[in-house]
Amino acid sequence: HYSHPLKICQCREPLTSFPLPVKLILDKTGSDAGTNRYERTEHTMILSCQNVGKAFHEKQIFKNCSFHIEDHEKAAIVGINGAGKTTLLRILTGELEADEGIVVWGKDVSFGYLPQNAQVEGEKTIYDEVLEAKKEVLLLEEEIRSCELQMKQVSGTDLDSLMEKYTRLTHRFEQMDGYSCRSEVTGVLKGLGFTEEEFSKQVSTLSGGQKTRVALGRLLLTRPDLIILDEPTNHLDMNSIAWLETWLANYQGAVLIVSHDRYFLDRIATKIIELDGGRAGVFSGSYSDYAVKKEQIRSAQMRAWLNQQQEIKHQEAVIEKLRSFNREKSIRRAESREKMLQKMEVLEKPAEVRDD
C-alpha cells in the first residue's frame, strides 16, 4: 500500500564478522568451538559497509566506500547532488546491488527506511494508518480483553490458568508501553503538523506531501534499531522540523539521515559520512565540526597543490634555460630534470566548496 514504500525489516542472518567491540565468551571447556556467544558491549556495530562500489553506465558513482554504524549512533550522509547518497542508502537496505564490497547487518537488527517522497495509499484514516505501526500492541490488547471476558465465565483451576496468562499478557503490554500507545500516535501526528480535526481524513484524499508525513509518522512509531531517512524535512514546516529534530535526538535507537538541511543535521548528527569525488570520508562530531575539519583539510590540500604547481613551473623554467645554452652538459641536466618531473605524482586541484 505504498508508492516508493517505506521499508521495515529485521535481519535474521548472523554477522559474518565480529561486532565491534565484542567479547567472546568461551564454553566451559575453554574452547571457542561449539556454543560461542557474543555479548553486546556498550557500543556494538549494527551495520558495516565494507569497500562498497557502484557505477551506472560505466560512470563510477563511488568506490571503496567503508564505514559502520553503532547502536544508538546518529549519523548523516552528506555530499553534493549526484554524489550517490540515495544510491548508497538503497544498497544498504537491499533495494540495489553493489558492484563490489559487502554490507553486513547484525543478527536480528531491525531497520526502517523512508525513501524520498514515500507515500502511503489506501482508504484508512490518517490516525488508523499511523496506528497500524502499533499492530502488535493492539493484538495484545485484544488478547487481554478476551482473557478478561473468559475469566468471568470460569472458576477453579481454569480461572487460575487464565489469571497466570492474564498476568503475563499485561506485563508484556506494560513493557511495550501499551497504555500510552494511542497518545503516542496522537503526539507524533501533531508533531508532524496534523490537527486532531484531520485525523479522520482518509489517506486517499491527501496531497503527496501529506502522505509522506503519514509514512514518516508510521515509520517513527515502529521504533526499529536503525531509522534510515532520505530527505525527511522536504514536506515539513519549521515547527515540524523542530519537533522531528528533538524526537530523533532523543531516540534510543540509531539514526542514518540524508539531508541538505545543514541546520537540521547539526542538531542531530554525531558522525558525518561524506561522499566526495567517489570516496567516503568519516568525520566524528556534528555537522559544524565536520565543516571546520573539511575546510582545514581543503586549505591544506590547496596549499600543497599551489606549492607543487609553483615547483613545476620553476623546474620547467630551469629546463627551458638549460636547453637554451645548447650545450651537451646543459641538455643532459635538462633531460634529468624532465625525467624527475615525469615521475612526480601530480596533485589534483581541490574542488571548489559548493553549498548544494
Side-chain angles (χ1 to χ4, degrees), residues 86-105:
T86 295
T87 298
L88 180 56
L89 291 188
R90 293 182 65 203
I91 290 172
L92 296 179
T93 58
E95 284 193 3
L96 195 63
E97 191 172 337
D99 296 335
E100 57 189 10
I102 57 172
V103 174
V104 182
W105 285 89

Side-chain angles (χ1 to χ4, degrees), residues 190-206:
K190 285 184 175 179
L192 292 174
F194 291 106
T195 63
E196 286 196 39
E197 289 74 27
E198 293 175 310
F199 287 5
S200 57
K201 279 188 176 181
Q202 285 188 321
V203 166
S204 59
T205 67
L206 303 180

Side-chain angles (χ1 to χ4, degrees), residues 56 73 81 89 112 123 145 157-158 167 180 191-192 200 214 232 245 247 275 290-291 304 317-318 337 339 350 355:
F56 289 115
E73 194 165 46
N81 288 331
L89 291 188
E123 299 305 315
R145 297 293 165 257
T157 55
D158 289 341
T167 301
S180 62
L192 292 174
S200 57
V214 172
E245 287 170 0
W247 197 97
L275 294 181
Y290 150 75
V318 171
R337 286 176 181 266
K339 287 179 182 178
D355 292 332

Side-chain angles (χ1 to χ4, degrees), residues 289-304:
D289 295 330
Y290 150 75
V292 170
K293 291 174 188 172
K294 182 65 179 176
E295 181 53 35
Q296 289 172 344
I297 291 170
R298 186 186 173 282
S299 295
Q301 290 173 337
M302 181 59 78
R303 286 194 300 273

Side-chain angles (χ1 to χ4, degrees), residues 46 69-73 225-227 251-256:
I46 61 175
I69 303 293
E70 297 174 350
D71 50 2
H72 316 303
E73 194 165 46
D225 295 317
L226 175 61
I227 290 176
Y251 185 57
Q252 293 300 303
V255 177
L256 181 60

